Amino acid sequence: MNRNDLFTRDKYVLLDGGMGTMLQAKGLKLGARPELLSITEPEMLTGIHREYVQAGADIVYANTFGASAKKLEGSGHSVAEVISASLACARRAVQGTGALVALDVGPLGELLEPAGTLKFEDAYRCFQEIVIAGAQADVIVVETMTDLYEVKAAILAAKENSTLPILASMSFEAGGRTFTGCTVESFAATARGLGADAIGINCSLGPKEIFPMAKRLAEAVPGSFPVFVKPNAGLPRADGSGYDITPQLYAMQMKPYRELNLFAAGGCCGTTPEFIQLLNGVFAGCKPGRPDHPMKSVICSPVSCVNVDGITVVGERINPTGKKRFQQALRENDMNYVLEQAVSQVEAGAQILDVNVGAPGVDEPALMEQVVKALQSVVSLPLQLDSSHAEALERGLRVYNGKPIVNSVNGEPEVLEKILPLCKKYGAAVVGLAIDKRGIQPKAEDRVAVARRIKEAALAAGIPQEDIYIDCLTLTASAQQQDVLATVEALHTCKTELGVRTILGVSNISFGLPCRTYLNTTFLTMAMYAGLDLAIMNPSSEEMMAAVYAYNVLINRDPQSTKYIE
């Protein structure tokens, strides 16, 4: 099999089974470093790979799962030395068979900040060293991850230092989250956005337990996007003697996966060549690829995945515009004040937080990175990175854990050319302001024309339609009263004719007028009825939040009026 044909075949791909299980059966001692066997016992290692190839495996994972600088420290061997030797063992085993060799990249063994002490940049450098050392592999597999931040570091290292295909896999617990709380949907949105070529689930559980999560994973990506699984041989026995299901039972429990039209399947802990051989029969005749389905527009942190389907509240308070106290906090690096604004908005009911740090006299790129990291240590809501500064956006996007929104681009070609590639690289959704060098046009149709250009440019940059948001721009009623309705008309047209999501900074409508909440709430209601998806507003406004809850009752989005009653 040629690696260039990996995702175009009309036949599923069979992955190998457990390496640790085979090594333990051959006498590997508890606590020993299995990666060193490529140097001390190369023939034994090659023999294990060969058994999996003979069982029908199309891809064998090289014995590099723990070949990081952190795990090899004190071993007397370098990352490059161990990985080179491990790839050589696998390459000898597949010679003449057409099977591919994967560089197997496992967790580093330390939690990243803020949950742990390992810095994101240090994790990236560890993975970068592994990827460069594994250049002779056919594919890169990032597997058994429990921390979405670590997945991001590994995928970025692979994308920026290699052209090999990337398969990314996380390990979920019975409750449907990883050890660190990451959801299936957050993993799918983030890994796909970062450029993984396939995503999957491996380890922790057996086929029966993983199946519902694998189904959710397949539903969270387009039908053409490859999904794979590598379950354990059931669950560990209480006496520590191995796993609780036989190869035959494993094969039986894998049969429901045929309906998912997987790209690939194999085995993890407890599985052997016999398990893999039986999988060949299970998936005989199966073809990868699922029917297309409408894609949800999701914005996520690891633990919170927001499906933007109808009105969603974006908290506006982390923004220095017109706020002297906030500007002072940014200049004095007062993170406590910033975090207080975040927490108060979460408590008030915000679903996403807008983050703007563009105050006079500050280093915006450095501050954006610092604030994003600080917010992620305190709140779990997804973020909207709000800036026109390309470097500030990139600094924030790089350290953001999950899938954010970038606010914003506009209709000017030079802006689109600068910002859209960043959104594509980091898997972010994007807000397009319906404005260009001519300014905000008074007529709705002229703003829609700008929005159409933005949509076309975003699609051309590889950003999917569900990740395109258009802001038709809220004018100030005190100054441009005759043009207020044009915003609502343009929003409705963008929603119905362009098929994009919509966003507005609602409170702008009332600048300069008394009793602002009356105007804000009425305008918000008009915009919601016209199809507004994201409302950038103050969630601490009881009247505006009441309008959101009431609206969701009236359009039957709040079953039994539960949230309204609360």
Side-chain angles (χ1 to χ4, degrees):
M1 178 170 58
N2 188 306
R3 72 184 181 210
N4 296 324
D5 302 328
L6 187 59
F7 302 108
T8 58
R9 302 185 349 149
D10 62 356
K11 181 181 181 296
Y12 78 98
V13 172
L14 190 62
L15 305 173
D16 65 6
M19 173 57 75
T21 299
M22 296 292 285
L23 292 176
Q24 288 167 6
K26 294 181 182 296
L28 179 68
K29 297 293 188 292
L30 191 66
R33 288 186 171 104
E35 288 72 25
L36 299 185
L37 292 172
S38 59
I39 295 170
T40 61
E41 299 281 352
E43 291 305 318
M44 180 181 74
L45 202 56
T46 298
I48 293 172
H49 290 312
R50 191 172 290 124
E51 287 186 56
Y52 278 122
V53 173
Q54 291 169 350
D58 297 304
I59 299 178
V60 296
Y61 289 22
N63 187 37
T64 56
F65 180 80
S68 65
K70 289 189 172 293
K71 290 191 173 181
L72 292 176
E73 188 176 1
S75 70
H77 298 281
S78 69
V79 170
E81 183 184 4
V82 171
I83 288 179
S84 177
S86 297
L87 289 175
C89 290
R91 189 66 69 193
R92 285 194 296 272
V94 304
Q95 191 170 6
T97 67
L100 302 181
V101 172
L103 173 67
D104 189 4
V105 181
L108 298 174
E110 296 182 30
L111 287 174
L112 275 69
E113 294 179 334
T117 58
L118 180 61
K119 295 182 182 300
F120 178 82
E121 296 83 0
D122 292 338
Y124 172 88
R125 283 190 285 270
C126 281
F127 289 123
Q128 180 184 41
E129 184 179 18
I130 293 168
V131 168
I132 292 172
Q136 298 308 308
D138 297 307
V139 299
I140 296 171
V141 175
V142 176
E143 67 155 336
T144 324
M145 295 288 179
T146 61
D147 185 348
L148 188 62
Y149 216 14
E150 191 169 17
V151 172
K152 178 170 183 172
I155 293 177
L156 280 178
K159 293 290 290 186
E160 293 178 349
N161 297 280
S162 171
T163 58
L164 297 178
I166 303 166
L167 281 61
S169 179
M170 292 194 81
S171 181
F172 293 86
E173 297 183 347
R177 291 179 181 264
T178 69
F179 168 73
T180 59
C182 180
T183 70
V184 170
E185 289 75 16
S186 291
F187 165 55
T190 303
R192 175 189 167 217
L194 288 169
D197 296 288
I199 56 174
I201 298 174
N202 79 290
C203 206
S204 289
L205 302 168
K208 189 176 179 181
E209 294 80 15
I210 284 178
F211 181 78
M213 290 177 270
K215 191 171 186 296
R216 285 167 53 193
L217 190 66
E219 291 169 350
V221 292
S224 59
F225 193 85
V227 173
F228 66 97
V229 294
K230 277 191 110 185
N232 286 349
L235 302 174
R237 296 192 189 98
D239 62 5
S241 62
Y243 288 78
D244 67 355
I245 61 176
T246 63
Q248 292 74 21
L249 183 55
Y250 187 84
M252 185 181 299
Q253 291 187 1
M254 288 295 289
K255 285 183 179 179
Y257 287 85
R258 292 184 297 193
E259 71 183 61
L260 300 183
N261 296 100
L262 297 173
F263 148 71
C268 204
C269 301
T271 62
T272 65
E274 186 178 358
F275 284 75
I276 302 308
Q277 188 169 25
L278 289 175
L279 281 187
N280 242 335
V282 171
F283 291 103
C286 290
K287 295 183 178 181
R290 303 167 305 284
D292 281 327
H293 59 273
M295 285 301 299
K296 296 177 180 178
S297 180
V298 299
I299 309 300
C300 70
S301 69
V303 301
S304 177
C305 192
V306 176
N307 175 22
V308 183
D309 178 22
I311 191 66
T312 301
V313 176
V314 182
E316 68 179 5
R317 302 298 298 168
I318 304 176
N319 190 321
T321 305
K323 304 185 186 80
K324 292 183 179 179
R325 175 66 185 91
F326 200 102
Q327 292 177 17
Q328 178 187 353
L330 292 178
R331 284 192 293 269
E332 296 176 355
N333 204 35
D334 183 359
M335 286 298 111
N336 285 336
Y337 184 82
V338 176
L339 296 179
E340 286 169 6
Q341 300 302 308
V343 171
S344 66
Q345 291 184 99
V346 172
E347 293 173 346
Q351 295 159 279
I352 298 170
L353 298 180
D354 186 77
V355 181
N356 186 315
V357 296
V362 304
D363 182 346
E364 187 177 352
L367 199 53
M368 178 66 86
E369 179 180 339
Q370 183 184 2
V371 169
V372 168
K373 285 183 173 182
L375 288 170
Q376 291 180 152
S377 70
V378 173
V379 298
S380 61
L381 293 189
L383 303 181
Q384 174 174 272
L385 308 187
D386 186 352
S387 177
S388 58
H389 195 304
E391 185 186 350
L393 286 173
E394 176 148 36
R395 293 276 291 270
L397 285 168
R398 193 164 185 87
V399 298
Y400 180 75
N401 189 4
K403 175 185 173 183
I405 311 179
V406 162
N407 185 8
S408 59
V409 297
N410 57 43
E412 298 178 25
E414 55 269 30
V415 174
L416 294 168
E417 290 167 7
K418 187 184 297 182
I419 304 299
L420 290 180
L422 290 178
C423 298
K424 171 61 178 172
K425 176 179 179 178
Y426 292 104
V430 64
V431 171
L433 306 181
I435 185 174
D436 55 20
K437 289 180 178 178
R438 300 171 300 167
I440 303 175
Q441 297 301 296
K443 293 183 179 179
E445 57 264 35
D446 292 331
R447 291 189 226 176
V448 172
V450 176
R452 184 175 285 108
R453 294 204 308 271
I454 293 171
K455 173 189 170 181
E456 290 169 354
L459 292 174
I463 298 169
Q465 181 156 321
E466 66 269 15
D467 287 342
I468 303 171
Y469 292 76
I470 294 297
D471 186 341
C472 291
L473 298 164
T474 304
L475 300 175
T476 304
S478 60
Q480 294 170 276
Q481 188 173 356
Q482 71 278 8
D483 297 327
V484 166
L485 281 180
T487 298
V488 179
E489 292 166 6
L491 185 155
H492 180 70
T493 302
C494 286
K495 181 80 171 182
T496 56
E497 294 186 13
L498 299 188
V500 295
R501 267 66 173 185
T502 57
I503 180 171
L504 281 178
V506 178
S507 304
N508 296 344
I509 196 71
S510 62
F511 283 141
L513 290 171
C515 302
R516 293 186 62 188
T517 300
Y518 296 159
L519 290 165
N520 293 346
T521 304
T522 303
F523 181 66
L524 172 63
T525 304
M526 294 166 64
M528 288 191 292
Y529 188 66
L532 179 63
D533 293 296
L534 291 182
I536 305 176
M537 54 181 261
N538 181 6
S540 297
S541 167
E542 292 185 13
E543 294 88 346
M544 293 181 74
M545 290 300 289
V548 170
Y549 289 122
Y551 182 77
N552 284 336
V553 170
L554 299 179
I555 64 167
N556 197 31
R557 193 174 177 236
D558 181 8
Q560 285 78 52
S561 307
T562 305
K563 294 187 180 300
Y564 176 80
I565 292 169
E566 289 174 359

